[in-house]
Amino acid sequence: MRIVFWLVGLFAVAAALALLMGQNSATVTLFWAPYRVDMSFNLVIAAVLLLFLLLHLALSSVSMLRALPQQAHRWRVHQRERLAHAALLDALSHQLAGRYVRARSAAKQVLDQLDGLDADGPDALPRQVQMQVLAHLLAAESSHTLQDHRTRDSHLDSALRAAAGPNTATVREGALLRAVRWAIEDRLLGSASRWLGQLPSGASRRTLALRLKLRVARLGEDHPTALDTARLLAKHKAFSATASRSLLRGLVMANMSACHDADQLRSMWKSLDAADRKDPDLVLFAVDRLLSVGREDADSAQLCAWGSEWVLPVWEQYSSLDRAVQERLVLVLQGLLDTTAADGVWLSRIERLQAAHPADPVLQYLAAQVCFRQQLWGKALALFKSSVLGLTNGTMRVQAWVKLAQLAEQKGDDVGALSAWREAALHSPLAK
């Protein structure tokens, strides 16, 4: 359709020119003494148009000749840009393929192509600074893998200097994050912390930066910082639910292990989430740690009250726990219940749960221990005898036989006591 309109327009122009010039009998007379020249008006118009066309072509030719050096210069710059892009792609491809020597050589080719081009000049390439910084980082990454730390540090310094401008924040942050990772892999915690400190506040809250901060904190055994960072990462869903739970559990345990007194451990416990306070592994570890750090504390009743408060949520979910966790819970309670008042409270709880699970040897063992401490000898003897054959935990079985031997000695049953001591010795870990 466009061609049809062009043809119609061309025919219209041709018809207009034919009507205007076909019947035009005007003449143009040029007097140049002593000469006189008479010319057709149509000829004059054609001559003027031809002269204009020739003049235009001449000026265009002169302009093109004068622009040839600039065009040649731009062509050379474009060639360098193409070669730089090709070398950068080669470097990245070799880096991904594990050809680090070739990747470093290709990155150096990029830097050679960009050498001499002013990033602020008229011949600057598009995103020249980003290309230069990326080339330095690729060369530094390859050098790091090749254990050439001097070359790596040289390229890193060059990348940071090149990315010092106001419009290069992104590539500078990338260079700093790479520097942190390299320092972590070299176990240089001071350097890693220094590079992390140079990150802007916005970049330091990104997932990658938080992951690196977590690694630095764990390597430096800064457990509180590691725990706070891990919680932030879990909130941002940087890990799977299972991995987050395992990581947080391990960090909480590490923080508890770093506590050196009961008050410090209690403060740590108060800072935990409600879900953490119901985690059987964390609760049992915390109570066990409380008994360990508070062993020399004179207020044992207070320690028992704290431990009882902590372990109660786990005790309420006893039926849903694995057998191994149930055994750990009973052993922790056995060490915790060291006052008569606490024994009386827990005895009623144990009896209620035992009534719901009358054949559970672990509950029978725990009830027997509480009865033994309250000097309920007959009930303790019956419970120990019922539980000892069903216990699978070696520690519980040995302690049950020891208590049976002590009860037999109290009754004057030397034969029964000797048999119980023999069984305790046979099931002792030292005997195996």
Side-chain angles (χ1 to χ4, degrees), residues 77-78 81 85 114 117 119 123-132:
V77 172
H78 290 165
E81 181 182 3
H85 278 290
L114 299 178
L117 293 178
D123 298 330
L125 301 181
R127 300 186 179 275
Q128 177 177 328
V129 176
Q130 287 87 336
M131 291 177 60
Q132 187 174 1

Side-chain angles (χ1 to χ4, degrees), residues 228-240 244-245 248:
D228 294 339
T229 307
R231 283 174 174 168
L232 190 57
L233 284 169
K235 181 180 179 181
H236 292 168
K237 297 182 179 179
F239 308 109
S240 64
S244 298
R245 192 65 192 160
L248 290 174

Side-chain angles (χ1 to χ4, degrees), residues 9 57 108 268 276 283 292 301 327 334 363 372 397 403:
L57 291 175
K108 289 181 179 179
M268 173 65 196
D276 293 335
V283 171
S292 177
E327 292 173 350
Q334 179 183 339
L363 291 177
F372 185 86
R397 179 174 273 186
K403 289 297 189 294

